[in-house]
Amino acid sequence: MTASSFAPGLVVQGFVPPLRLADFKLIAFDMDSTLINIECIDEIADAVGRKAEVAAITEAAMRGEIADFKDSLRRRVALLAGAPADALQRVFDERLRLNAGAEALVRTCQAAGLKTLLVSGGFTFFTDRVRDRLALDFTRSNVLDVADGRLTGRLVDQPWGDICDGEEKKRMLLATCAQLGIAPAQAIAMGDGANDLPMMRAAGLSVAYQAKPKVREQAMVAINEGGLDRLLEVVHAA
């Protein structure tokens, strides 16, 4: 695809803007480092003094240097064993913030009639709270196992499978489109890491937000500066 700078810090590839939100019926977001400002697993690891070790694996996974996301997540979760469960609430209260423009973009999409989907390789503790804050329609993420008030270092299997990785994100995007009776071409997918690429490729419009190089290169829109609502410079509300 030929890339062009549509505006400073905003790169558009493969189509000529503008588009309209009315052309779409669903927008799907990754959570960590996309809709919110942190990688939650790295901040939980801080509670047991293992942030540097966990963050190094997270960075490699997001850059696409670790091919097996499920294995990388299991390794990181294992390093959380013994962390107090109340560390999750502290991370949410003290460290987690919506990224710039997140609320404005979500509200504008909702006003235009789009449904909203949050798909994350992170954890339900956080996705449930972000969902409730933004009134999102659908979520999919992972469940941390807790026993006696501490993380066990394991994940809980769910009815749909074991871990929400890149392929599960894509499956959830496609299943949501089917549930809504729309084509994948009517979906927007936003992410920052390599595990977001499967759903981004499946969607009609793929958006990289402050993303890793591999993701920026493959996205139709790359927001490299500013907030998530810069998407509205390409996909107009009216």
Side-chain angles (χ1 to χ4, degrees), residues 12-28:
V12 176
Q13 307 186 94
F15 68 97
V16 178
L19 298 171
R20 300 174 306 144
L21 281 181
D23 298 325
F24 300 95
K25 301 298 182 184
L26 174 70
I27 184 165

Side-chain angles (χ1 to χ4, degrees), residues 2 64 66 79 145 152 197 223 231:
T2 301
I66 298 176
L79 292 170
D145 187 49
T152 67
L197 284 171
I223 302 170
L231 179 60

